[in-house]
Amino acid sequence: MGTSKHHRYLTGAKASKVDEFYTTYEAIDRELRHYRADLKDRHVICDCNDRPDRSMFVSWTLDHMNEYGIASLTCTSFQPDHGTLFDDGTPAMQWHVDNDGRDGYSIADLAVRPLDGDGSFDSSECERLLDRPGAIVVTNPPFSKAIRFMRMLRRHPDTDYLIIANLNLLTANDVLPMVKEGRCLVGLSIHSGSMFFRLPDDRPKTGSMIRPDGTVGVNSVRWLTSLAAARADKTQPPTGRTYRGHEDEYPEYDAYDAINVDSMRMMPDDHDGPMGVPLNFLERWAPGNGFMLLGKLDDPTVNGRRLYKRLLVRRTRDA
């Protein structure tokens, strides 16, 4: 193995460790309870797991298979050392159980088999799981691989998903088209603040957002989904703010024919032209709800002052 390849595997292993944020059972329950009808007769795919006994996605699905009528559960693990100098022979694994009508399900009911490859979510044998009619992906993909994960989902337009990711992901060139199409909506259970995760025991817990139970808050993390049920709360309520008479509060960008809106509380009710708005606009947006999503502004400036990226939107009065 050459030095470059050796370094790449070491870097990948380190990144994999830093990417370990374990979603809590409570967070999963708060979101998935909104999709009872969407989960009926579906084949749940958890393709970003460490071990099923540590995954709350697996635990929640097993607990609700009968109640929600979930048809099956398949989960896979990732073995980053597979085929490398550090391969100790431990294979990536796949676990599966069908809903056969028994009274309840547990980890012990999962049939297990080794995978041929490393278990990466977009490896051919794992990605094939998404081709099954009725498949739905429910997982927390590694934050560092989120764009890659969305590219995979984009290759499977008939496969639904419920995943966790940072809001910034929605402005990526590979993802924004899915947002415009209504195939990527912000979920229903969290619209502000942080989502809290468990960390591996050997990871230091630092920062100001640490709860007594040891969970750590991560800003701007949201549920993302293709399910139409997520449109339920997607309305932009009037703010009572007006552009007319307050033009100085809404300066135009230096290089774009649009006004800048610093926060959603400031969105003017009387302006029909293009507006640059914060990313959290998407927390209450879906196609056809009164606004058209035109695109994004990656590096907008106002009077030479650089601002954080904005979404470019326009009101549609006939919606």
Side-chain angles (χ1 to χ4, degrees):
M1 178 182 299
T3 303
S4 176
K5 192 173 182 180
H6 185 179
H7 175 75
R8 186 164 64 252
Y9 284 126
L10 286 175
T11 303
K14 182 178 180 181
S16 177
K17 194 68 175 176
V18 172
D19 265 339
E20 290 186 61
F21 290 85
Y22 301 136
T23 312
T24 66
Y25 191 101
E26 293 73 22
I28 295 168
D29 186 60
R30 281 194 299 271
E31 183 69 20
L32 268 60
R33 69 176 62 168
H34 296 286
Y35 307 101
R36 179 188 293 260
D38 296 288
L39 291 171
K40 181 175 173 57
D41 299 324
R42 304 299 290 271
H43 301 285
V44 173
I45 310 296
C46 299
D47 52 359
C48 293
N49 283 283
D50 181 3
R51 296 199 316 258
D53 59 320
R54 297 206 304 197
S55 169
M56 294 298 104
F57 286 98
V58 172
S59 294
W60 188 95
T61 303
L62 291 172
D63 287 348
H64 293 81
M65 284 192 77
N66 285 334
E67 180 185 354
Y68 281 51
I70 296 169
S72 71
L73 166 66
T74 304
C75 52
T76 56
S77 68
F78 177 50
Q79 178 51 263
D81 293 336
H82 177 81
T84 75
L85 179 66
F86 308 103
D87 190 344
D88 63 0
T90 302
M93 306 297 289
Q94 175 181 299
W95 295 264
H96 179 85
V97 65
D98 289 312
N99 188 339
D100 57 10
R102 72 188 77 174
D103 290 338
Y105 299 85
S106 70
I107 297 294
D109 296 313
L110 294 169
V112 59
R113 72 170 184 85
L115 293 171
D116 295 328
D118 64 5
S120 175
F121 55 77
D122 54 359
S123 63
S124 59
E125 60 184 333
C126 290
E127 190 167 339
R128 279 198 299 270
L129 297 171
L130 277 61
D131 293 329
R132 184 175 187 179
I136 180 170
V137 177
V138 184
T139 194
N140 175 10
F143 292 152
S144 68
K145 297 180 175 63
I147 292 178
R148 184 172 135 194
F149 194 88
M150 293 302 290
R151 287 176 185 149
M152 178 190 70
L153 292 176
R154 198 175 178 187
R155 293 194 293 270
H156 299 268
D158 295 326
T159 301
D160 285 317
Y161 63 88
L162 277 157
I163 68 168
I164 293 171
N166 192 285
L167 266 180
N168 283 284
L169 175 68
L170 301 183
T171 67
N173 292 334
D174 291 295
V175 182
L176 191 59
M178 298 174 68
V179 178
K180 289 183 176 181
E181 295 162 5
R183 182 159 156 67
C184 185
L185 301 167
V186 176
L188 294 168
S189 64
I190 178 171
H191 292 306
S192 63
S194 303
M195 184 177 287
F196 284 79
F197 298 87
R198 292 180 296 110
L199 297 183
D201 293 338
D202 59 352
R203 280 271 301 280
K205 298 176 178 64
T206 60
S208 58
M209 293 186 294
I210 304 175
R211 287 176 168 171
D213 63 1
T215 55
V216 175
V218 182
N219 279 326
S220 300
V221 172
R222 301 290 182 265
W223 286 91
L224 305 179
T225 185
S226 60
L227 295 172
R231 294 172 178 257
D233 68 345
K234 299 300 186 288
T235 58
Q236 298 287 348
T239 63
R241 304 294 294 263
T242 59
Y243 174 72
R244 186 173 300 175
H246 303 89
E247 290 85 354
D248 59 323
E249 298 180 16
Y250 302 96
E252 291 192 358
Y253 296 109
D254 296 336
Y256 305 100
D257 185 17
I259 64 170
N260 177 62
V261 179
D262 277 327
S263 73
M264 294 308 300
R265 293 189 300 271
M266 290 185 62
M267 180 174 280
D269 297 332
D270 63 343
H271 187 71
D272 293 338
M275 298 178 279
V277 298
L279 302 189
N280 62 345
F281 167 85
L282 294 174
E283 295 176 340
R284 298 290 184 183
W285 181 82
N289 78 337
F291 290 88
M292 180 181 293
L293 178 58
L294 304 174
K296 62 175 178 174
L297 307 176
D298 282 324
D299 295 298
T301 58
V302 172
N303 297 324
R305 180 172 62 93
R306 189 174 301 279
L307 306 176
Y308 194 69
K309 69 178 70 175
R310 295 285 196 266
L311 295 167
L312 193 63
V313 304
R314 178 172 60 79
R315 196 181 300 273
T316 55
R317 295 291 179 183
D318 58 344

